[in-house]
Amino acid sequence: MQVELIMYISLMLAIAETFGWIFARIGQPVVLGQIIGGILLGTFFPPTEEVKDISMVGVLLLLFLAGLESSVDELKEAGRAGVSVAGIGVFIAFLIGFAIVYPFKGFNQALIYGALTTPTSVSLTVRVLMELDALKTREGMTILTAAIVDDILGIIILTVIISLLVQGSVHYTVIASIILRVIFFLAVALYIVPPAIDRLLKKVVHLGFADSTITLSMAVLFAFAYFAEHMNLASILGAYLFGLALSETEFRKPIFEHTRIIAHAIFIPLFFVDVGMNMPMQDIKSIGFFAIVFSLGAIVSKVIGCGLGALVGGLTLKESIRIGVGMIPRMGVELAMLTVALNEGIVGKEAYIVIVLMIFLTTLVTPPFLKISFGKQVEEEELTEIFEMGY
């Protein structure tokens, strides 16, 4: 390992802790402080690919922990609302993205940009909901369910548009292949992995290697994320689904507690500082009015679309607003989709700056908006806990 990489990690962890503490003291989410600290660090120390690779472990562990905190029964309860949130949210986001881009870039580019607004990245939302102790609320479970469906729909939409623009027609076999891969992956994760991993971990404990259950779980986690990526699905989907599979076993609590410590101490802070370091602050002026309008449209589209989807799914207005805010962030899937579009020659390098700025703004506004929307509920729950403890 290079000395420079070791120093990068040292600086990033110091920045994460310092800015996280400062933002916690002023009543803001810790993760927002870590991102802003990363922006400042990135002005002096440009990000490297090695740091990015290490920090990506953080997002996998974050979604793995979210899966462990969930349960299949809870997801099934949130299923109808989650599908409604994802479906209507994707439709509205695509329409608004298309409408904004069309006057600037024309029909074909509007289709691509519209598709790039559709997915949601839940890693940031999950981190903030964990801070607020709101991940297992009805809103939190609906967001997790919706995000899975959301990414799948986004990938399908992009596939259709690329097929249409490159080859002049839609290849239904490609779309069918994606849907079949998703169904297969979900079936394996929800029905085959839980009993198999439960038997395996029990065997390990029986042989006298109880501590190895954590190591073995980490090995399977990364393998699961790899296979998801290898099947042209999101690696974070694999991480979340494996966590969900483990949540159905008796090892859920010890694995969660041990993983949480190292994840929140090292890898998750590294990930969010790296997000800040990769914000192209120097390029914002050069991309002009269009990029700002597009980014604002991306924010509003999710609040309106996903909020409306939540209302249709039977949630209250307050819950729907919280879900709409929680579905704002974009991150990994958009960049993967953009890479596909760039490789096909459908968009130029300017699109990368526009999409990264959109990711930056959606990442920046989500933590404070979430805290405001959940703030009253969190205060009421804290007061209830104090009352029940007899203080």
Side-chain angles (χ1 to χ4, degrees):
M1 183 181 288
Q2 297 178 352
V3 176
E4 291 81 0
L5 178 58
I6 297 173
M7 283 306 301
Y8 258 96
I9 293 172
S10 174
L11 284 170
M12 291 171 73
L13 289 175
I15 286 290
E17 186 65 21
T18 302
F19 280 80
W21 180 83
I22 291 171
F23 273 67
R25 289 296 297 255
I26 62 176
Q28 294 300 316
V30 169
V31 64
L32 182 59
Q34 292 171 346
I35 292 171
I36 291 177
I39 293 173
L40 295 177
L41 183 63
T43 60
F44 301 101
F45 299 93
T48 67
E49 287 301 316
E50 292 87 351
V51 171
K52 179 176 286 294
D53 290 340
I54 293 173
S55 70
M56 279 307 296
V57 175
V59 73
L60 294 179
L61 290 176
L62 182 59
L63 270 295
F64 173 65
L65 290 172
L68 280 171
E69 280 201 291
S70 310
S71 76
V72 174
D73 290 338
E74 289 170 341
L75 277 181
K76 286 178 180 177
E77 287 180 16
R80 175 171 168 263
V83 171
S84 174
V85 168
I88 297 176
V90 164
F91 179 70
I92 297 295
F94 179 82
L95 283 184
I96 291 178
F98 179 90
I100 290 172
V101 176
Y102 181 70
F104 292 91
K105 304 287 184 180
F107 183 79
N108 288 357
Q109 291 294 296
L111 286 175
I112 290 293
Y113 276 93
L116 290 170
T117 64
T118 56
T120 293
S121 177
V122 293
S123 54
L124 176 66
T125 297
V126 165
R127 181 68 182 92
V128 177
L129 291 178
M130 283 180 173
E131 274 188 50
L132 299 175
D133 197 25
L135 184 62
K136 297 193 73 174
T137 60
R138 187 155 75 141
E139 299 96 307
M141 298 310 302
T142 303
I143 288 170
L144 284 170
T145 307
I148 294 172
V149 180
D150 196 286
D151 285 352
I152 294 167
L153 290 176
I155 292 168
I156 292 172
I157 288 171
L158 185 72
T159 302
V160 170
I161 290 173
I162 288 178
S163 178
L164 184 65
L165 296 182
V166 173
Q167 302 177 29
S169 62
V170 177
H171 285 246
Y172 297 102
T173 54
V174 176
I175 301 170
S177 173
I178 293 172
I179 295 172
L180 288 174
R181 286 199 301 269
V182 169
I183 293 172
F184 171 77
F185 202 72
L186 288 172
V188 169
L190 299 180
Y191 298 104
I192 297 175
V193 172
I197 195 70
D198 189 48
R199 284 195 298 271
L200 179 61
L201 293 180
K202 283 178 179 177
K203 186 70 174 177
V204 169
V205 172
H206 180 71
L207 292 173
F209 297 99
D211 290 342
S212 297
T213 56
I214 309 299
T215 306
L216 186 59
S217 298
M218 292 298 100
V220 179
L221 161 65
F222 296 130
F224 221 67
Y226 168 80
F227 285 124
E229 195 78 30
H230 191 67
M231 294 173 70
N232 293 321
L233 304 173
S235 59
I236 56 175
L237 174 62
Y240 175 75
L241 288 178
F242 180 63
L244 188 63
L246 267 179
S247 74
E248 301 299 303
T249 73
E250 64 182 65
F251 299 94
R252 171 183 186 170
K253 187 174 181 180
I255 290 175
F256 177 82
E257 291 300 327
H258 284 82
T259 306
R260 181 178 62 86
I261 293 170
I262 190 169
H264 286 288
I266 302 175
F267 292 104
I268 293 174
L270 284 177
F271 170 69
F272 286 112
V273 171
D274 183 66
V275 168
M277 290 176 69
N278 280 278
M279 298 304 174
M281 303 302 292
Q282 70 278 5
D283 295 323
I284 290 177
K285 291 182 181 178
S286 66
I287 53 181
F289 178 71
F290 163 67
I292 302 296
V293 173
F294 177 74
S295 299
L296 293 176
I299 293 170
V300 172
S301 68
K302 282 293 183 180
V303 177
I304 294 174
C306 295
L308 180 60
L311 283 173
V312 172
L315 283 85
T316 66
L317 179 60
K318 184 183 290 187
E319 290 171 334
S320 299
I321 292 172
R322 289 169 177 165
I323 289 169
V325 171
M327 295 291 285
I328 287 174
R330 307 335 196 263
M331 201 171 296
V333 177
E334 289 77 9
L335 289 176
M337 290 168 65
L338 178 59
T339 301
V340 174
L342 283 168
N343 291 340
E344 294 289 346
I346 297 172
V347 294
K349 291 184 179 180
E350 182 192 69
Y352 181 83
I353 300 173
V354 174
I355 296 302
V356 171
L357 177 62
M358 183 261 285
I359 290 171
F360 167 58
L361 290 178
T362 57
T363 298
L364 205 60
V365 303
T366 300
F369 283 4
L370 267 179
K371 179 149 189 177
I372 291 169
S373 64
F374 275 92
K376 189 174 180 181
Q377 172 180 302
V378 172
E379 290 172 8
E380 289 174 353
E381 289 177 354
E382 288 175 350
L383 288 173
T384 301
E385 288 177 7
I386 292 172
F387 177 77
E388 289 175 349
M389 292 172 64
Y391 286 98

